[in-house]
Amino acid sequence: GVLGQVIGGGRRYDGPSGKSDRAMVFGALAGLHGLGWLAQAVWNPVLVLMAVLLALTAVNRARAALIAAQAAGSDA
């Protein structure tokens, strides 16, 4: 998100795994684990899925920031 500001494309919030989404997932995982309702075997697949979603989020944000920066550059 911040990288977009560096290249002049503005701060980006695009993507499937934003800050609030990550907070909800990790908070739910921690809560369920703390209550003993979450098997240890569930952690790895969920963390792999979160890593994939975070990578997609980074790509989406970088792509959108580059497009916005190019558009801003051509307007000037």
Side-chain angles (χ1 to χ4, degrees):
V2 174
L3 184 58
Q5 285 182 307
V6 173
I7 62 172
R11 182 152 171 85
R12 307 302 308 179
Y13 298 96
D14 320 62
S17 182
K19 187 176 184 178
S20 58
D21 301 321
R22 291 189 308 269
M24 184 195 66
V25 169
F26 289 122
L29 284 173
L32 292 172
H33 182 74
L35 292 170
W37 296 349
L38 185 66
Q40 195 71 23
V42 174
W43 278 93
N44 283 341
V46 170
L47 293 177
V48 167
L49 176 63
M50 288 302 296
V52 169
L53 291 175
L54 286 168
L56 289 173
T57 298
V59 169
N60 284 349
R61 289 180 181 184
R63 184 180 304 134
L66 287 172
I67 290 169
Q70 287 175 347
S74 64
D75 289 343

